[in-house]
Amino acid sequence: MEYLRDPGEITRRSFEIVRAEADLGALPEALAAVAVRLVHACGMPDIVGELAWRPGVVGEARAALGSGAPVLADCRMVADGVIRERLPARNDIVCTLDDPEVPALARSLGTTRSAAALELWRDDLSGAVVAIGNAPTALYRLLELLADGAPLPAAILAFPVGFVGAAESKEALIEAGIEVPYLTLRGRRGGSALAAAAVNAVAADGP
């Protein structure tokens, strides 16, 4: 069969198509570069119109990573999707979902394991880059922790996905008024690939 095999050319053409089909004109330059990578990760140019952000999110996230801040991921798929070679300071990638304490915490709190796992983030939250790509309950719990006075992360990249709570949790982030830059995708769409792509995009320039 005849098809394109050269990886460099595949990458070049892919990003060329994304830039041609996605409406990036309303985005700040730094955020447009992140949006290109998000579209590339999901194949849907129309998500650009559903992005919501607080100004400065790309710069703050990039600066935090440059200073050695950890990436806090809500699930293993997000953590595994981050390209380690892109991280500028050999940053730790922290995912506490599989910690042995989490099932008991979830039972005691009456919530999901994804939300309970964030209880183990408290010592790492200050100045961290948070990447949520799975559970709406994780984003809700993060907002609760911050409202209760937990240390502020440097940036929140929020892409929970699903039919129950995903759209609502992202609107809660937008409306929370917290002093943390964020990037999110309104509605039901999201997922681990988008959260990891956002980290990869802010970690280094270029595709």
Side-chain angles (χ1 to χ4, degrees), residues 116-148:
L118 270 66
E119 301 299 320
L120 306 181
W121 284 10
R122 291 177 184 269
D123 291 341
D124 296 311
L125 259 177
S126 181
V129 174
V130 173
I132 295 178
N134 181 32
T137 54
L139 180 53
Y140 274 127
R141 185 56 186 149
L142 175 63
L143 295 175
E144 291 173 343
L145 290 173
L146 298 180
D148 288 341

PDB file of all heavy atoms in Angstrom, residues 116-148:
ATOM      1  N   ALA A 116      -9.975  11.339  45.970  1.00  0.00           N
ATOM      2  CA  ALA A 116      -9.240  11.053  47.204  1.00  0.00           C
ATOM      3  C   ALA A 116      -7.733  11.140  46.999  1.00  0.00           C
ATOM      4  O   ALA A 116      -6.989  11.539  47.912  1.00  0.00           O
ATOM      5  CB  ALA A 116      -9.625   9.670  47.718  1.00  0.00           C
ATOM      6  N   ALA A 117      -7.270  10.778  45.817  1.00  0.00           N
ATOM      7  CA  ALA A 117      -5.832  10.795  45.545  1.00  0.00           C
ATOM      8  C   ALA A 117      -5.240  12.188  45.684  1.00  0.00           C
ATOM      9  O   ALA A 117      -4.047  12.352  45.964  1.00  0.00           O
ATOM     10  CB  ALA A 117      -5.555  10.234  44.148  1.00  0.00           C
ATOM     11  N   LEU A 118      -6.061  13.222  45.497  1.00  0.00           N
ATOM     12  CA  LEU A 118      -5.559  14.588  45.601  1.00  0.00           C
ATOM     13  C   LEU A 118      -5.198  14.965  47.030  1.00  0.00           C
ATOM     14  O   LEU A 118      -4.450  15.923  47.252  1.00  0.00           O
ATOM     15  CB  LEU A 118      -6.577  15.583  45.047  1.00  0.00           C
ATOM     16  CG  LEU A 118      -6.447  15.887  43.546  1.00  0.00           C
ATOM     17  CD1 LEU A 118      -6.749  14.666  42.700  1.00  0.00           C
ATOM     18  CD2 LEU A 118      -7.328  17.062  43.146  1.00  0.00           C
ATOM     19  N   GLU A 119      -5.720  14.216  48.027  1.00  0.00           N
ATOM     20  CA  GLU A 119      -5.320  14.469  49.409  1.00  0.00           C
ATOM     21  C   GLU A 119      -3.816  14.293  49.570  1.00  0.00           C
ATOM     22  O   GLU A 119      -3.205  14.925  50.448  1.00  0.00           O
ATOM     23  CB  GLU A 119      -6.065  13.528  50.349  1.00  0.00           C
ATOM     24  CG  GLU A 119      -7.574  13.623  50.298  1.00  0.00           C
ATOM     25  CD  GLU A 119      -8.093  14.995  50.673  1.00  0.00           C
ATOM     26  OE1 GLU A 119      -7.540  15.605  51.623  1.00  0.00           O
ATOM     27  OE2 GLU A 119      -9.040  15.475  50.024  1.00  0.00           O
ATOM     28  N   LEU A 120      -3.220  13.475  48.737  1.00  0.00           N
ATOM     29  CA  LEU A 120      -1.781  13.208  48.819  1.00  0.00           C
ATOM     30  C   LEU A 120      -0.967  14.215  48.029  1.00  0.00           C
ATOM     31  O   LEU A 120       0.257  14.110  47.964  1.00  0.00           O
ATOM     32  CB  LEU A 120      -1.487  11.785  48.335  1.00  0.00           C
ATOM     33  CG  LEU A 120      -2.277  10.674  49.029  1.00  0.00           C
ATOM     34  CD1 LEU A 120      -1.869   9.309  48.477  1.00  0.00           C
ATOM     35  CD2 LEU A 120      -2.080  10.721  50.537  1.00  0.00           C
ATOM     36  N   TRP A 121      -1.616  15.204  47.417  1.00  0.00           N
ATOM     37  CA  TRP A 121      -0.922  16.253  46.671  1.00  0.00           C
ATOM     38  C   TRP A 121      -0.526  17.434  47.552  1.00  0.00           C
ATOM     39  O   TRP A 121       0.224  18.308  47.115  1.00  0.00           O
ATOM     40  CB  TRP A 121      -1.831  16.802  45.569  1.00  0.00           C
ATOM     41  CG  TRP A 121      -1.981  15.926  44.372  1.00  0.00           C
ATOM     42  CD1 TRP A 121      -1.561  14.641  44.216  1.00  0.00           C
ATOM     43  CD2 TRP A 121      -2.635  16.283  43.141  1.00  0.00           C
ATOM     44  NE1 TRP A 121      -1.919  14.173  42.983  1.00  0.00           N
ATOM     45  CE2 TRP A 121      -2.569  15.153  42.301  1.00  0.00           C
ATOM     46  CE3 TRP A 121      -3.265  17.438  42.703  1.00  0.00           C
ATOM     47  CZ2 TRP A 121      -3.109  15.159  41.020  1.00  0.00           C
ATOM     48  CZ3 TRP A 121      -3.805  17.446  41.434  1.00  0.00           C
ATOM     49  CH2 TRP A 121      -3.727  16.317  40.592  1.00  0.00           C
ATOM     50  N   ARG A 122      -1.054  17.514  48.755  1.00  0.00           N
ATOM     51  CA  ARG A 122      -0.945  18.732  49.550  1.00  0.00           C
ATOM     52  C   ARG A 122       0.488  19.233  49.668  1.00  0.00           C
ATOM     53  O   ARG A 122       0.745  20.442  49.590  1.00  0.00           O
ATOM     54  CB  ARG A 122      -1.550  18.514  50.929  1.00  0.00           C
ATOM     55  CG  ARG A 122      -3.072  18.352  50.911  1.00  0.00           C
ATOM     56  CD  ARG A 122      -3.616  18.078  52.290  1.00  0.00           C
ATOM     57  NE  ARG A 122      -5.047  17.833  52.287  1.00  0.00           N
ATOM     58  CZ  ARG A 122      -5.977  18.774  52.450  1.00  0.00           C
ATOM     59  NH1 ARG A 122      -5.615  20.031  52.606  1.00  0.00           N
ATOM     60  NH2 ARG A 122      -7.265  18.455  52.457  1.00  0.00           N
ATOM     61  N   ASP A 123       1.447  18.335  49.873  1.00  0.00           N
ATOM     62  CA  ASP A 123       2.843  18.760  50.061  1.00  0.00           C
ATOM     63  C   ASP A 123       3.498  19.203  48.763  1.00  0.00           C
ATOM     64  O   ASP A 123       4.561  19.829  48.800  1.00  0.00           O
ATOM     65  CB  ASP A 123       3.663  17.626  50.687  1.00  0.00           C
ATOM     66  CG  ASP A 123       3.264  17.351  52.129  1.00  0.00           C
ATOM     67  OD1 ASP A 123       2.635  18.232  52.757  1.00  0.00           O
ATOM     68  OD2 ASP A 123       3.573  16.248  52.625  1.00  0.00           O
ATOM     69  N   ASP A 124       2.891  18.875  47.630  1.00  0.00           N
ATOM     70  CA  ASP A 124       3.494  19.189  46.328  1.00  0.00           C
ATOM     71  C   ASP A 124       2.752  20.276  45.562  1.00  0.00           C
ATOM     72  O   ASP A 124       3.210  20.703  44.501  1.00  0.00           O
ATOM     73  CB  ASP A 124       3.532  17.922  45.456  1.00  0.00           C
ATOM     74  CG  ASP A 124       4.426  16.839  46.034  1.00  0.00           C
ATOM     75  OD1 ASP A 124       5.575  17.147  46.392  1.00  0.00           O
ATOM     76  OD2 ASP A 124       3.967  15.681  46.120  1.00  0.00           O
ATOM     77  N   LEU A 125       1.622  20.737  46.071  1.00  0.00           N
ATOM     78  CA  LEU A 125       0.773  21.640  45.298  1.00  0.00           C
ATOM     79  C   LEU A 125       1.405  23.001  45.037  1.00  0.00           C
ATOM     80  O   LEU A 125       1.259  23.556  43.942  1.00  0.00           O
ATOM     81  CB  LEU A 125      -0.558  21.858  46.018  1.00  0.00           C
ATOM     82  CG  LEU A 125      -1.771  21.075  45.514  1.00  0.00           C
ATOM     83  CD1 LEU A 125      -2.975  21.365  46.403  1.00  0.00           C
ATOM     84  CD2 LEU A 125      -2.074  21.402  44.066  1.00  0.00           C
ATOM     85  N   SER A 126       2.105  23.531  45.998  1.00  0.00           N
ATOM     86  CA  SER A 126       2.609  24.897  45.875  1.00  0.00           C
ATOM     87  C   SER A 126       3.517  25.050  44.661  1.00  0.00           C
ATOM     88  O   SER A 126       4.562  24.401  44.557  1.00  0.00           O
ATOM     89  CB  SER A 126       3.386  25.294  47.134  1.00  0.00           C
ATOM     90  OG  SER A 126       3.849  26.624  47.030  1.00  0.00           O
ATOM     91  N   GLY A 127       3.092  25.885  43.708  1.00  0.00           N
ATOM     92  CA  GLY A 127       3.897  26.163  42.526  1.00  0.00           C
ATOM     93  C   GLY A 127       3.936  25.064  41.490  1.00  0.00           C
ATOM     94  O   GLY A 127       4.674  25.169  40.511  1.00  0.00           O
ATOM     95  N   ALA A 128       3.131  24.015  41.652  1.00  0.00           N
ATOM     96  CA  ALA A 128       3.140  22.884  40.723  1.00  0.00           C
ATOM     97  C   ALA A 128       2.320  23.189  39.473  1.00  0.00           C
ATOM     98  O   ALA A 128       1.537  24.137  39.428  1.00  0.00           O
ATOM     99  CB  ALA A 128       2.593  21.637  41.404  1.00  0.00           C
ATOM    100  N   VAL A 129       2.502  22.358  38.451  1.00  0.00           N
ATOM    101  CA  VAL A 129       1.655  22.377  37.262  1.00  0.00           C
ATOM    102  C   VAL A 129       0.699  21.192  37.370  1.00  0.00           C
ATOM    103  O   VAL A 129       1.133  20.036  37.383  1.00  0.00           O
ATOM    104  CB  VAL A 129       2.483  22.291  35.972  1.00  0.00           C
ATOM    105  CG1 VAL A 129       1.567  22.170  34.750  1.00  0.00           C
ATOM    106  CG2 VAL A 129       3.387  23.504  35.837  1.00  0.00           C
ATOM    107  N   VAL A 130      -0.579  21.470  37.495  1.00  0.00           N
ATOM    108  CA  VAL A 130      -1.598  20.431  37.649  1.00  0.00           C
ATOM    109  C   VAL A 130      -2.168  20.083  36.285  1.00  0.00           C
ATOM    110  O   VAL A 130      -2.551  20.978  35.513  1.00  0.00           O
ATOM    111  CB  VAL A 130      -2.720  20.904  38.588  1.00  0.00           C
ATOM    112  CG1 VAL A 130      -3.863  19.889  38.602  1.00  0.00           C
ATOM    113  CG2 VAL A 130      -2.186  21.123  39.996  1.00  0.00           C
ATOM    114  N   ALA A 131      -2.242  18.797  35.988  1.00  0.00           N
ATOM    115  CA  ALA A 131      -2.797  18.322  34.719  1.00  0.00           C
ATOM    116  C   ALA A 131      -3.873  17.276  35.015  1.00  0.00           C
ATOM    117  O   ALA A 131      -3.558  16.187  35.497  1.00  0.00           O
ATOM    118  CB  ALA A 131      -1.706  17.729  33.835  1.00  0.00           C
ATOM    119  N   ILE A 132      -5.114  17.619  34.732  1.00  0.00           N
ATOM    120  CA  ILE A 132      -6.247  16.720  34.973  1.00  0.00           C
ATOM    121  C   ILE A 132      -6.853  16.339  33.637  1.00  0.00           C
ATOM    122  O   ILE A 132      -7.320  17.200  32.891  1.00  0.00           O
ATOM    123  CB  ILE A 132      -7.290  17.385  35.884  1.00  0.00           C
ATOM    124  CG1 ILE A 132      -6.686  17.637  37.272  1.00  0.00           C
ATOM    125  CG2 ILE A 132      -8.547  16.514  35.993  1.00  0.00           C
ATOM    126  CD1 ILE A 132      -7.613  18.343  38.237  1.00  0.00           C
ATOM    127  N   GLY A 133      -6.855  15.039  33.337  1.00  0.00           N
ATOM    128  CA  GLY A 133      -7.326  14.580  32.042  1.00  0.00           C
ATOM    129  C   GLY A 133      -8.318  13.446  32.109  1.00  0.00           C
ATOM    130  O   GLY A 133      -8.617  12.817  31.092  1.00  0.00           O
ATOM    131  N   ASN A 134      -8.834  13.181  33.311  1.00  0.00           N
ATOM    132  CA  ASN A 134      -9.739  12.052  33.421  1.00  0.00           C
ATOM    133  C   ASN A 134     -10.986  12.391  34.224  1.00  0.00           C
ATOM    134  O   ASN A 134     -12.058  12.554  33.666  1.00  0.00           O
ATOM    135  CB  ASN A 134      -9.011  10.863  34.060  1.00  0.00           C
ATOM    136  CG  ASN A 134      -9.888   9.636  34.178  1.00  0.00           C
ATOM    137  OD1 ASN A 134     -10.761   9.407  33.348  1.00  0.00           O
ATOM    138  ND2 ASN A 134      -9.684   8.853  35.223  1.00  0.00           N
ATOM    139  N   ALA A 135     -10.829  12.550  35.548  1.00  0.00           N
ATOM    140  CA  ALA A 135     -11.980  12.561  36.435  1.00  0.00           C
ATOM    141  C   ALA A 135     -12.475  13.958  36.785  1.00  0.00           C
ATOM    142  O   ALA A 135     -11.723  14.751  37.352  1.00  0.00           O
ATOM    143  CB  ALA A 135     -11.634  11.816  37.727  1.00  0.00           C
ATOM    144  N   PRO A 136     -13.736  14.262  36.499  1.00  0.00           N
ATOM    145  CA  PRO A 136     -14.301  15.525  36.968  1.00  0.00           C
ATOM    146  C   PRO A 136     -14.219  15.677  38.484  1.00  0.00           C
ATOM    147  O   PRO A 136     -14.034  16.778  38.997  1.00  0.00           O
ATOM    148  CB  PRO A 136     -15.752  15.459  36.492  1.00  0.00           C
ATOM    149  CG  PRO A 136     -15.720  14.553  35.295  1.00  0.00           C
ATOM    150  CD  PRO A 136     -14.678  13.529  35.617  1.00  0.00           C
ATOM    151  N   THR A 137     -14.364  14.563  39.208  1.00  0.00           N
ATOM    152  CA  THR A 137     -14.297  14.654  40.674  1.00  0.00           C
ATOM    153  C   THR A 137     -12.926  15.127  41.143  1.00  0.00           C
ATOM    154  O   THR A 137     -12.816  15.761  42.196  1.00  0.00           O
ATOM    155  CB  THR A 137     -14.625  13.304  41.332  1.00  0.00           C
ATOM    156  OG1 THR A 137     -13.769  12.280  40.794  1.00  0.00           O
ATOM    157  CG2 THR A 137     -16.088  12.922  41.110  1.00  0.00           C
ATOM    158  N   ALA A 138     -11.885  14.836  40.376  1.00  0.00           N
ATOM    159  CA  ALA A 138     -10.555  15.324  40.744  1.00  0.00           C
ATOM    160  C   ALA A 138     -10.489  16.843  40.634  1.00  0.00           C
ATOM    161  O   ALA A 138      -9.926  17.517  41.502  1.00  0.00           O
ATOM    162  CB  ALA A 138      -9.489  14.673  39.864  1.00  0.00           C
ATOM    163  N   LEU A 139     -11.072  17.393  39.572  1.00  0.00           N
ATOM    164  CA  LEU A 139     -11.068  18.843  39.425  1.00  0.00           C
ATOM    165  C   LEU A 139     -11.932  19.496  40.503  1.00  0.00           C
ATOM    166  O   LEU A 139     -11.538  20.513  41.104  1.00  0.00           O
ATOM    167  CB  LEU A 139     -11.568  19.238  38.041  1.00  0.00           C
ATOM    168  CG  LEU A 139     -11.617  20.738  37.744  1.00  0.00           C
ATOM    169  CD1 LEU A 139     -10.277  21.416  38.007  1.00  0.00           C
ATOM    170  CD2 LEU A 139     -12.064  20.981  36.304  1.00  0.00           C
ATOM    171  N   TYR A 140     -13.092  18.932  40.773  1.00  0.00           N
ATOM    172  CA  TYR A 140     -13.919  19.462  41.857  1.00  0.00           C
ATOM    173  C   TYR A 140     -13.160  19.452  43.187  1.00  0.00           C
ATOM    174  O   TYR A 140     -13.192  20.428  43.946  1.00  0.00           O
ATOM    175  CB  TYR A 140     -15.197  18.626  42.009  1.00  0.00           C
ATOM    176  CG  TYR A 140     -16.336  19.023  41.124  1.00  0.00           C
ATOM    177  CD1 TYR A 140     -16.973  18.087  40.313  1.00  0.00           C
ATOM    178  CD2 TYR A 140     -16.831  20.330  41.126  1.00  0.00           C
ATOM    179  CE1 TYR A 140     -18.050  18.434  39.515  1.00  0.00           C
ATOM    180  CE2 TYR A 140     -17.908  20.681  40.326  1.00  0.00           C
ATOM    181  CZ  TYR A 140     -18.517  19.733  39.529  1.00  0.00           C
ATOM    182  OH  TYR A 140     -19.592  20.091  38.735  1.00  0.00           O
ATOM    183  N   ARG A 141     -12.479  18.342  43.475  1.00  0.00           N
ATOM    184  CA  ARG A 141     -11.761  18.244  44.746  1.00  0.00           C
ATOM    185  C   ARG A 141     -10.616  19.246  44.801  1.00  0.00           C
ATOM    186  O   ARG A 141     -10.348  19.830  45.864  1.00  0.00           O
ATOM    187  CB  ARG A 141     -11.232  16.819  44.962  1.00  0.00           C
ATOM    188  CG  ARG A 141     -10.582  16.611  46.337  1.00  0.00           C
ATOM    189  CD  ARG A 141     -11.540  16.961  47.446  1.00  0.00           C
ATOM    190  NE  ARG A 141     -10.926  16.905  48.766  1.00  0.00           N
ATOM    191  CZ  ARG A 141     -11.280  17.660  49.792  1.00  0.00           C
ATOM    192  NH1 ARG A 141     -12.267  18.540  49.664  1.00  0.00           N
ATOM    193  NH2 ARG A 141     -10.668  17.547  50.951  1.00  0.00           N
ATOM    194  N   LEU A 142      -9.931  19.454  43.692  1.00  0.00           N
ATOM    195  CA  LEU A 142      -8.874  20.455  43.658  1.00  0.00           C
ATOM    196  C   LEU A 142      -9.434  21.833  44.014  1.00  0.00           C
ATOM    197  O   LEU A 142      -8.836  22.568  44.812  1.00  0.00           O
ATOM    198  CB  LEU A 142      -8.230  20.491  42.275  1.00  0.00           C
ATOM    199  CG  LEU A 142      -7.174  21.583  42.054  1.00  0.00           C
ATOM    200  CD1 LEU A 142      -5.981  21.377  42.983  1.00  0.00           C
ATOM    201  CD2 LEU A 142      -6.740  21.621  40.600  1.00  0.00           C
ATOM    202  N   LEU A 143     -10.563  22.178  43.442  1.00  0.00           N
ATOM    203  CA  LEU A 143     -11.173  23.471  43.741  1.00  0.00           C
ATOM    204  C   LEU A 143     -11.564  23.575  45.209  1.00  0.00           C
ATOM    205  O   LEU A 143     -11.421  24.636  45.834  1.00  0.00           O
ATOM    206  CB  LEU A 143     -12.391  23.691  42.849  1.00  0.00           C
ATOM    207  CG  LEU A 143     -12.100  23.815  41.353  1.00  0.00           C
ATOM    208  CD1 LEU A 143     -13.396  23.898  40.554  1.00  0.00           C
ATOM    209  CD2 LEU A 143     -11.217  25.014  41.062  1.00  0.00           C
ATOM    210  N   GLU A 144     -12.039  22.475  45.779  1.00  0.00           N
ATOM    211  CA  GLU A 144     -12.369  22.477  47.212  1.00  0.00           C
ATOM    212  C   GLU A 144     -11.124  22.679  48.063  1.00  0.00           C
ATOM    213  O   GLU A 144     -11.145  23.447  49.039  1.00  0.00           O
ATOM    214  CB  GLU A 144     -13.064  21.161  47.581  1.00  0.00           C
ATOM    215  CG  GLU A 144     -14.455  21.013  47.003  1.00  0.00           C
ATOM    216  CD  GLU A 144     -15.056  19.646  47.227  1.00  0.00           C
ATOM    217  OE1 GLU A 144     -14.310  18.691  47.553  1.00  0.00           O
ATOM    218  OE2 GLU A 144     -16.292  19.520  47.081  1.00  0.00           O
ATOM    219  N   LEU A 145     -10.047  21.987  47.711  1.00  0.00           N
ATOM    220  CA  LEU A 145      -8.805  22.132  48.472  1.00  0.00           C
ATOM    221  C   LEU A 145      -8.307  23.576  48.430  1.00  0.00           C
ATOM    222  O   LEU A 145      -7.891  24.136  49.453  1.00  0.00           O
ATOM    223  CB  LEU A 145      -7.738  21.191  47.915  1.00  0.00           C
ATOM    224  CG  LEU A 145      -7.946  19.694  48.143  1.00  0.00           C
ATOM    225  CD1 LEU A 145      -6.889  18.898  47.379  1.00  0.00           C
ATOM    226  CD2 LEU A 145      -7.908  19.348  49.622  1.00  0.00           C
ATOM    227  N   LEU A 146      -8.347  24.165  47.251  1.00  0.00           N
ATOM    228  CA  LEU A 146      -7.865  25.537  47.107  1.00  0.00           C
ATOM    229  C   LEU A 146      -8.762  26.509  47.873  1.00  0.00           C
ATOM    230  O   LEU A 146      -8.276  27.461  48.492  1.00  0.00           O
ATOM    231  CB  LEU A 146      -7.783  25.916  45.636  1.00  0.00           C
ATOM    232  CG  LEU A 146      -6.806  25.090  44.793  1.00  0.00           C
ATOM    233  CD1 LEU A 146      -6.808  25.565  43.347  1.00  0.00           C
ATOM    234  CD2 LEU A 146      -5.395  25.139  45.362  1.00  0.00           C
ATOM    235  N   ALA A 147     -10.064  26.264  47.844  1.00  0.00           N
ATOM    236  CA  ALA A 147     -10.986  27.119  48.593  1.00  0.00           C
ATOM    237  C   ALA A 147     -10.762  27.010  50.090  1.00  0.00           C
ATOM    238  O   ALA A 147     -11.011  27.971  50.840  1.00  0.00           O
ATOM    239  CB  ALA A 147     -12.428  26.746  48.250  1.00  0.00           C
ATOM    240  N   ASP A 148     -10.264  25.853  50.534  1.00  0.00           N
ATOM    241  CA  ASP A 148      -9.998  25.634  51.952  1.00  0.00           C
ATOM    242  C   ASP A 148      -8.614  26.109  52.375  1.00  0.00           C
ATOM    243  O   ASP A 148      -8.215  25.896  53.520  1.00  0.00           O
ATOM    244  CB  ASP A 148     -10.150  24.153  52.288  1.00  0.00           C
ATOM    245  CG  ASP A 148     -11.606  23.707  52.273  1.00  0.00           C
ATOM    246  OD1 ASP A 148     -12.499  24.581  52.355  1.00  0.00           O
ATOM    247  OD2 ASP A 148     -11.856  22.493  52.183  1.00  0.00           O
TER     248      ASP A 148
END
